[in-house]
Amino acid sequence: QKEVEQNSGPLSVPEGAIASLNCTYSDRGSQSFFWYRQYSGKSPELIMSIYSNGDKEDGRFTAQLNKASQYVSLLIRDSQPSDSATYLCAVPDSNYQLIWGAGTKLIIKP
Amino acid sequence: ETGVTQSPTHLIKTRGQQVTLRCSSQSGHNTVSWYQQALGQGPQFIFQYYREEENGRGNFPPRFSGLQFPNYSSELNVNALELDDSALYLCASSQGGGQITGELFFGEGSRLTVL
């Protein structure tokens, strides 16, 4: 069974600081990786995708991928209280499904 | 552009009953997948539909079944409900053409409570 692992948290970060979220995956053949944000009581929303080793930046968000070490990270710069949510890492398995981590709960303290 | 809509948003059933959940996919999306999300867990893949046929299934028993209609909308049916079926059921649509894509658009979910 292929797995995606995340620290469940909660991760508490002061407002304005950098939040760093990590995800490891078991399948060395994985080629694409996705970060979703889920607010309490809401559905997941895609915020970042990354396909190549290195960094990908989108506004305050940066995804980092290291295939050799089988981990993918999400950095959130200048954290805002509105960033408080659960962040889910997802990795495609077969042709038909994503394998999801359990999510990391992020709390941004004003 | 119309997003993914699900109904009902909340429902309560008793053990042994049957339930049908409905989903309208986002305009232009031809693939629909269903997920079960228990409290504090990530979504678990139930199955995917493309061209009105199931073309992928996770580790769920046959009492979980579905349909996709010509307009790409979909239903999830669960028979013989068990207490552990209590969860948020998420419908996601994509333009994957039946293939995997991580770019999913979720509806707001149907929260099922089984008593």
Side-chain angles (χ1 to χ4, degrees), chain B residues 14-107:
Chain B
T14 57
R15 195 169 48 182
Q17 284 189 311
Q18 178 265 345
V19 67
T20 297
L21 308 178
R22 296 178 175 84
C23 172
S24 294
S25 63
Q26 184 162 318
S27 177
H29 287 186
N30 54 25
T31 303
V32 173
S33 51
W34 286 91
Y35 289 83
Q36 180 195 66
Q37 187 176 26
L39 203 60
Q41 300 296 318
Q44 298 291 317
F45 175 72
I46 303 175
F47 43 54
Q48 176 174 286
Y49 277 83
Y50 173 64
R51 289 186 173 178
E52 302 175 49
E53 291 190 0
E54 181 184 300
N55 73 338
R57 189 177 185 93
N59 294 324
F60 281 82
R63 60 189 184 85
F64 286 78
S65 63
L67 288 171
Q68 186 183 32
F69 300 100
N71 65 354
Y72 306 132
S73 65
S74 178
E75 287 182 357
L76 164 64
N77 298 290
V78 187
N79 293 322
L81 284 167
E82 301 177 358
L83 297 179
D84 286 349
D85 295 333
S86 295
L88 180 67
Y89 288 85
L90 296 163
C91 171
S93 74
S94 68
Q95 293 177 314
Q99 300 301 310
I100 187 67
T101 172
E103 299 185 3
L104 300 177
F105 296 83
F106 285 92

Side-chain angles (χ1 to χ4, degrees), chain A residues 1 34 36 38 41-46 49 51 88 92-98 100-102, chain B residues 35 37 40-43 45 48 55-56 59 88 90 98-104 106-108:
Chain A
Q1 176 71 15
F34 302 87
Y36 282 76
Q38 186 172 25
K42 300 295 185 181
S43 58
E45 172 192 16
L46 179 66
S49 59
Y51 301 88
L88 297 159
D93 178 11
S94 63
N95 285 333
Y96 310 112
Q97 63 173 305
L98 294 179
W100 297 75
Chain B
Y35 289 83
Q37 187 176 26
Q41 300 296 318
F45 175 72
Q48 176 174 286
N55 73 338
N59 294 324
L88 180 67
L90 296 163
Q99 300 301 310
I100 187 67
T101 172
E103 299 185 3
L104 300 177
F106 285 92
E108 287 303 312

Side-chain angles (χ1 to χ4, degrees), chain A residues 17-74:
Chain A
I18 296 175
S20 178
L21 304 161
N22 298 313
C23 170
T24 59
Y25 58 94
S26 62
D27 183 8
R28 282 195 170 275
S30 297
Q31 297 295 317
S32 55
F33 307 86
F34 302 87
W35 283 101
Y36 282 76
R37 177 178 62 201
Q38 186 172 25
Y39 292 114
S40 181
K42 300 295 185 181
S43 58
E45 172 192 16
L46 179 66
I47 53 173
M48 288 287 286
S49 59
I50 186 166
Y51 301 88
S52 304
N53 271 336
D55 296 359
K56 178 183 177 182
E57 187 175 316
D58 184 0
R60 296 187 296 113
F61 296 94
T62 299
Q64 298 177 319
L65 175 59
N66 184 322
K67 289 185 178 180
S69 299
Q70 294 177 243
Y71 80 79
V72 56
S73 300
L74 180 70

